[in-house]
Amino acid sequence: MTTKMEKEAAAKASDALPLPLYLTNGVFFTLFFSVVYFLLLRWREKIRNSVPLHVVTLSEISAIVVFVASFIYLLGFFGVTFVQSLVIPRSPSDEILDDDDEIIDDLMLKEDSRAAPCSAAAPCKMLPAEPLPEEDEEIVKAVVEGKIPSYALESKLGDCRRAAFVRREALQRTTGKSLEGLPLEGFNYEAILGQCCEMPVGYVQIPVGIAGPLLLDGVEYSVPMATTEGCLVASTNRGCKAIMASGGASSAVHRDGMTRAPVVRFGSAKRAVELKLFLEDPLNFESLSLVFNSSSRFGRLQKIKCAIAGKNLYMRFTCSTGDAMGMNMVSKGVQNVLDFLVNQFPDMDVLGISGNYCSDKKPAAVNWIEGRGKSVVCEAVIKEEVVHKVLKTNVAALVELNMLKNLTGSAIAGALGGFNAHASNIVSAVYIATGQDPAQNVESSHCITMMEAVNGGKDLHVSVSMPSIEVGTVGGGTQLASQSACLNLLGVKGASKEVPGANSRLLATIVAASVLAGELSLMSAIAAGQLVKSHMKYNRSSKDVTKLST
């Protein structure tokens, strides 16, 4: 694309001689190379004859003048921007700045004066950005000056994408740091408004790989995994291959209930005990259920478990939540019950809707023992020949390693729900791909992996027991386009029309079966001494990805 400066330079060059442009170009090209050739010959003769180079004749002076004139013409012919591009590479956004050079001074940012961590790289000055429309420029300045709150841009502008763009520009000017490389375009910002993320300035790209087919309960699934860890998808895929070659895995959901545990306080421990007994009395459960269930079509109270700490009472409510993960659903039901209990126990002081006895996004024994979300067990019998040919190890080695690593080693470490090789790896990858809350990987990755020899010691029975898989197929990030596509790939998109909760329970079993495949493959790699070798081969790339992205 020819820029404005290049057009102007070309127009002036055409007026250099009263000739058509192509003839003028030819003349100056001929003159330039002719005088260069002439001067080189003359200087060569001077060097041979020991004549000083600064001693010039009239013809040499004329040749130098013609050389300078033709050089200036050629410089104007190609344009100053062309010469600059040979010295300083330009980004596509730089090319549009030539229409208004004055904008550059307004967009240059000062260096961030805040101290950077000692390990951080030295900050770079930002290159000039694309000139903003006058209206956007005013809003950006207002945000930078604090006249408009950044969080209020969506409501003020009525355009979520534009709000993200303005916020991003204001952030760059405020911090002096460029966000080049963080994508802005290609995302539906309206879809996350008031639901998934506040004050967006772009989105992060995470590659999604496919492991499978995974044969589970007679059905094949292609499992999407969003990760930046090399070997993870490949390893899980190998586990899927071993399960498929052995006839598949089977699973069962034996518990399904989301929890929320408020904390209340009384003037005495005796009164706290009175409320505990009231809540645990079966005669009161029906009335409490009616109050709880009135908050949702799908939320159904299952049980209440209480714990006392002096004058404080912790009440752990458990309820079914349909195909939603259910945190909001159970919280609304709990709030209804608390409002009801205030009438029965007016001296009750509600300290918080959550008292950490739930327990959400934290490792806790209560989830390991009582469960939270979906409690799933998944198993498979891997044939001896598959262990040898696909997993490259043997049954005895796997059984021994599992006992010493996943069971004994984890016990020595004081692990809480961590009696496995790397369940959280698979859980996190599937969660991110399908729009789950990645922070709930903490309790969702609670898993105990068991291995034993069966069928006379020839085959391997492997199982994973996961008591607190917290997933949903509606709400939250599941409705975003990319995550929705991954759910659709698994056949669990949205709410089940036939059986409420069926899709979320199926997703939980797929997560567990994927963990089973990942455990099987990693344990085999360790038993066969392949772990370090494979990671050095596939997870230590020397490629410069910044060059690959251009």
Side-chain angles (χ1 to χ4, degrees), residues 5-17 21 24 73 76-77:
M5 289 185 65
E6 290 171 337
K7 290 179 180 179
E8 292 176 354
K12 293 178 183 178
S14 66
D15 296 332
L17 291 175
L21 180 60
T24 303
Y73 174 85
F77 174 78

Side-chain angles (χ1 to χ4, degrees), residues 430-441:
V430 177
Y431 270 29
I432 295 172
T434 58
Q436 311 305 312
D437 188 339
Q440 290 185 323
N441 165 69

Side-chain angles (χ1 to χ4, degrees), residues 195-214:
Q195 181 164 302
C196 292
C197 179
E198 297 74 43
M199 297 187 287
V201 294
Y203 59 96
V204 173
Q205 297 168 308
I206 301 179
V208 177
I210 296 296
L214 172 64

Side-chain angles (χ1 to χ4, degrees), residues 208 210 222-224 432-435 473 477-494:
V208 177
I210 296 296
S222 296
V223 183
I432 295 172
T434 58
T473 57
T478 64
Q479 49 84 38
L480 299 179
S482 300
Q483 291 82 343
S484 180
C486 290
L487 289 170
N488 188 59
L489 177 66
L490 293 172
V492 295
K493 177 182 176 181

